[in-house]
Amino acid sequence: MTKDRITLAFFVDALGSRLAGELGCFREIAPHAYRQRTILGYSCAAQPTILTGLPPSEHDHWAMFYRTSRSELAPLRHLDILPNAVGRHRRFRRRLLAAHRKRSGFTGYYNFYRIPFRLFREFDLSEKRDIYAPGGFDGDVESIFDILARDSVPHRVWNWKTGLDRALAELSETLANGPPIRFALLYTAVIDAFLHEHVGDASVVGAALKDLEAKISRVVARAHDSYSEVDLLIFSDHGMAETKGEVDLMDAIGTLGLTHEKDNLAFYDSTMGRFWFGNERARTDVAELLENMDGGSVLSDDDLRREGVFFDDRRYGELVFLMDPGMLIVPSYMGARAPRGMHGFTPDHEDSDAVLMSSAPLDPAPASIADTFRVMKGLLNRTHDHE
Ligand SMILES: [Zn+2]
């Protein structure tokens, strides 16, 4: 006996609109493709926008780290006594993260990367709770998972905590033998990780996407066996740009002779430098240096407002320097070397665009990643075709 209707949502991190179009991927199962403008920032800002339909200034998650005088990460500052060789070692950082997850009870996605430990006195995490579960956001911000819980909609979710093959196997098993569900969302970062290392290498990228397409197609076929109607969505949060060059922003700021954490405080993401100032001289010096620097530009408050990332309390930076597409800050607190591809540049660049592919045409056509939330919500409200 077939069950009723189901919505299947596959979230493929970093699958750009241009790449998806060129390779024609998922065309057979989701022929209606819509280019979507992403938001300024990284996945830690884009995913909340997809799950809530709101800009970062409203769901409050922009960068992974924000400045506060009451950071819950402050105890980590004591690790600053470790020699760099230990403190920056990958394996050490990985074990520390695992231990921290256990002790803190934080269920959100975070990483300490290469951030100097003493800075945790002033920087805290924006995603402490799992955003793929109800109650992931502060205040009255409602995500798709809050709606599913409130309306008691039977559903399953696989986020970054489960590997792709296991998640697909569990979804497949649920579709075939599990109790009926009305909605499933499966997130995967495999393409993001792959593109960071291989973007621009057409044959290996094509093969990786073909592999993913085959795996997802098999699960979708399983859904058609068990459910009378299957609404399929495959979408992303942003694209990936090829690295073109790097800038040693830390070194440039170092030439100003300012005392870090006194005159100024900086957070070096891979494509953004964010600055706070202890005095006017530091503000003027840093602003002047950045205004004259090649490879990026200072964002005005109007720029930030237009992108939905302006915060009155300046928790994410008093001054934001954004790199030009393909230009990276190296070294940064994220890494010591430049990967082959990166995202987090202006949403106006074509390689920044995300994509949403659907088994049925969508009206109105989704044009921004925030629309993905409305599309998912709309499908949940459908019971019969042509409704
Ligand atoms: Zn990425």
Side-chain angles (χ1 to χ4, degrees), residues 153-174:
V153 179
H155 67 280
R156 294 286 308 267
V157 193
W158 290 267
N159 64 12
W160 53 272
K161 290 173 190 173
T162 310
L164 175 64
D165 289 336
R166 204 181 107 200
L168 286 170
E170 289 177 7
L171 171 56
S172 203
E173 168 63 20
T174 300

Side-chain angles (χ1 to χ4, degrees), residues 192 196 238 240 343:
D192 178 70
H196 275 299
H238 52 71
M240 185 77 69
H343 45 87

